[in-house]
Amino acid sequence: TSSAVTVVSVPDQPGAITGEAAVCAGDSESYSVAAVAGATTYTWSIPAGAAILSGQGTAGITVLWGSTSGNVSVTASNGCGTSAASAESVTVTSVPDAPGAISGNASVCEAATENYSIDAVSGATGYTWTVPAGAIILSGQGTTDISVEFGTQSGTIAVFASNQCGDG
């Protein structure tokens, strides 16, 4: 008698991972690889603080990002072994922290022009200032320094920092 024998090899390394390489903390993003011939399962690894929401064991996953950047990697496996890993580096950006104290005069004369500033906030790409009703921002909206012409009303000057992930 005779018996047919099939030789199975370890799967090849998965190809390039598709998915966003720059994400915001708290975003859910999908990552995938093309199916690998002979693979029966896929094992994904992600940075600490992130979570695989779905797809572990398959050629595609959905990741909920924390605040830590790092690699998304995947191996393909079958009963004969595990391939080398493919990886994609992912950079995580968080919304900026709140700005520190605003520097400038707290008591001003009607129709006076005054300057106000904050220290730059790490990771911020822009700043949005608000001033009391009747006051006008003459220059600096979007930056860390503004010049304000006051009207007759008192109020609050406020600023928040922002970037591509949102407002701090």
Side-chain angles (χ1 to χ4, degrees), residues 9-23:
S9 59
V10 173
D12 289 335
Q13 178 180 16
I17 296 171
T18 59
E20 291 295 325
V23 300

Side-chain angles (χ1 to χ4, degrees), residues 21-162:
V23 300
C24 295
D27 282 357
S28 293
E29 297 290 342
S30 295
Y31 297 87
S32 63
V33 291
V36 176
T40 56
T41 190
Y42 300 83
T43 303
W44 293 86
S45 298
I46 56 175
I52 296 175
L53 298 177
S54 64
Q56 184 64 281
T58 71
I61 59 171
T62 300
V63 176
L64 176 61
W65 284 99
S67 58
T68 304
S69 299
N71 287 333
V72 171
S73 63
V74 63
T75 58
S77 303
N78 62 20
C80 294
T82 301
S83 71
S86 288
E88 177 180 5
S89 179
V90 177
T91 302
V92 177
T93 302
S94 298
V95 296
D97 292 332
I102 297 172
S103 297
N105 289 330
S107 180
V108 299
C109 297
E110 183 178 317
T113 298
E114 297 286 340
N115 295 317
Y116 295 88
S117 64
I118 56 169
D119 290 335
V121 176
S122 178
T125 57
Y127 302 87
T128 302
W129 293 83
T130 58
V131 294
I136 300 167
I137 298 174
L138 299 175
S139 64
Q141 183 66 280
T143 71
T144 58
D145 300 286
I146 61 169
S147 178
V148 179
E149 181 181 312
F150 285 89
T152 60
Q153 297 183 30
S154 298
T156 301
I157 294 177
V159 61
F160 64 85
S162 61

